[in-house]
Amino acid sequence: MTDETKERLATIAAPYNREIRLDDVRFSSGMRLMRIVIREGHRITQFDIDPATACSWGKVLQRWGEESSGASGEGVSGLAANDQSTTAPDNDEQ
């Protein structure tokens, strides 16, 4: 396993008892990625994306959220927490 440090950017409660975690992951090589972990009951999906992908994805999410909620802010009510603490790499997350 590679040496990495993680900083939790956000934990978001999603519909149907799902949870989305966003972490800033920095590797000993200097590479920096955003780790997205989606928990659905016992199932965990994890993937890392680069800054360019994060920007593209974020723009699409922002546009869709604003259009779907009528830009009234209703679309952001699913934010459960914004945990700014620094966490060590967890061995239980895949």
Side-chain angles (χ1 to χ4, degrees):
M1 180 160 185
T2 62
D3 287 334
E4 60 185 47
T5 58
K6 293 190 300 186
E7 178 184 351
R8 178 68 35 89
L9 300 175
T11 299
I12 303 168
Y16 305 109
N17 202 27
R18 293 182 181 129
E19 179 183 84
I20 302 166
R21 293 187 202 165
L22 304 171
D23 295 321
D24 181 2
V25 181
R26 296 171 190 235
F27 296 88
S28 58
S29 67
M31 181 172 57
R32 184 176 178 186
L33 299 171
M34 176 175 285
R35 177 162 297 155
I36 296 130
V37 178
I38 301 170
R39 291 182 175 263
E40 303 174 274
H42 295 292
R43 180 179 173 174
I44 298 171
T45 303
Q46 172 185 304
F47 55 101
D48 297 341
I49 60 174
D50 65 321
T53 303
C55 286
S56 296
W57 190 8
K59 288 175 186 175
V60 172
L61 289 171
Q62 182 76 35
R63 186 174 59 240
W64 183 87
E66 290 171 353
E67 291 171 359
S68 297
S69 68
S72 65
E74 294 170 11
V76 295
S77 63
L79 291 177
N82 189 2
D83 181 1
Q84 295 296 324
S85 63
T86 302
T87 59
D90 292 19
N91 292 331
D92 66 330
E93 291 184 17
Q94 310 212 353

